[in-house]
Amino acid sequence: LPGTQEIHVDWSSSPDRYMVTRSAQPAWTWKRFFTFYAFPSNQFYMLRRKHPPSYDIVRGSQDGGAPGGLPVRPGWEIVLSFFAFETAAPGTVEIFVQKSEEPYYRIRLGMEERSLGWEPLFSFHAFDTPYMGTAKFAVQYTTQSLEADVEVPEQYRVYLDDPWGLWEHKFDFYAYPVELHELEPDAESIEGIRGVLRDEREAARAAKDQQAADRRAWLLSQSAPGSHVPFA
């Protein structure tokens, strides 16, 4: 079928084991067991940041983290994840992901390939009707600030529940969900986040100490004979 890719299952003994691969030839000591064709898919993650409030969606292989592609970012948390197709499969629609970094980072999801003021990121294909094993994901948007009752540039998110508060429903799609307990970062990734946060705190403390030292030096220079210290 158009859009499918050739996938191979290879076998090796001592110990008995199997490997799924796209390589045209089996690796050394491995034998080709059988071949099948499938539509390529990828894992996608919905991330949320509290300050400033915003969302992002990333593919599993593009943002670092664990070998499986678990995205790890200081200040962001994973709120959900799903598998969707990279190419068109029967019964799917293409969903385009775009971004804008003004006045802060935000994303847009829609059926249009390009929208004025938005930079294309990537697209994925998901079902527009339920299929066995899929779950319904809602695309929602808001043009209201999540911190104050004022209008702001629109931003989008993927959510599992009905819209509430300042969020409004845009459209639904169906994809293969990932259980949240599978999205826990490993110890090395967690330690990496802690290290970045420690570095940021130390840099902020050093900058504050330097400002205080500069202030003391300025006051001493002003208190020298012939100088004037302004009233504070």
Side-chain angles (χ1 to χ4, degrees):
L1 288 175
T4 60
Q5 292 185 357
E6 189 177 56
I7 309 295
H8 309 285
V9 177
D10 295 346
W11 168 83
S12 182
S13 60
S14 301
D16 185 48
R17 59 197 187 277
Y18 295 83
M19 174 174 60
V20 179
T21 177
R22 295 180 183 176
S23 299
Q25 299 295 329
W28 185 64
T29 74
W30 290 77
K31 295 182 179 180
R32 184 122 299 164
F33 195 57
F34 64 87
T35 298
F36 65 93
Y37 293 83
F39 292 96
S41 64
N42 205 339
Q43 187 170 1
F44 298 85
Y45 300 88
M46 192 74 213
L47 308 181
R48 177 175 60 196
R49 179 178 61 187
K50 293 183 179 180
H51 301 291
S54 55
Y55 289 82
D56 194 13
I57 183 170
V58 299
R59 288 179 291 193
S61 59
Q62 74 173 29
D63 204 32
L70 186 66
V72 176
R73 290 185 192 171
W76 293 78
E77 62 177 334
I78 302 174
V79 294
L80 59 83
S81 180
F82 59 88
F83 278 94
F85 297 106
E86 292 276 16
T87 60
T92 64
V93 294
E94 189 170 11
I95 299 173
F96 297 92
V97 181
Q98 301 148 353
K99 74 169 183 176
S100 176
E101 299 191 30
E102 296 295 336
Y104 49 84
Y105 189 91
R106 36 197 186 93
I107 59 168
R108 182 182 189 278
L109 290 90
M111 304 293 185
E112 309 85 11
E113 184 173 3
R114 291 187 177 274
S115 299
L116 184 63
W118 295 90
E119 177 185 343
L121 282 177
F122 55 84
S123 67
F124 61 89
H125 296 256
F127 299 110
D128 58 357
T129 56
Y131 272 72
M132 182 179 297
T134 64
K136 183 173 75 172
F137 293 86
V139 175
Q140 302 171 359
Y141 73 99
T142 183
T143 56
Q144 296 290 317
S145 169
L146 303 181
E147 296 181 320
D149 188 18
V150 295
E151 290 190 359
V152 295
E154 66 179 343
Q155 66 168 308
Y156 288 67
R157 71 178 181 182
V158 178
Y159 209 61
L160 288 172
D161 298 324
D162 294 331
W164 55 275
L166 304 174
W167 293 94
E168 298 185 34
H169 180 264
K170 187 72 172 181
F171 63 88
D172 297 325
F173 66 86
Y174 294 83
Y176 298 96
V178 177
E179 295 291 338
L180 286 179
H181 69 81
E182 300 179 20
L183 303 180
E184 294 294 333
D186 57 23
E188 182 178 352
S189 299
I190 294 174
E191 186 56 35
I193 293 178
R194 290 172 177 167
V196 171
L197 295 177
R198 281 196 300 268
D199 292 344
E200 291 178 349
R201 286 195 296 267
E202 291 175 0
R205 188 181 301 113
K208 186 176 180 180
D209 292 344
Q210 184 61 49
Q211 289 177 352
D214 293 343
R215 176 66 176 171
R216 288 193 297 270
W218 180 81
L219 288 173
L220 289 173
S221 68
Q222 294 300 307
S223 62
S227 62
H228 173 67
V229 179
F231 178 77

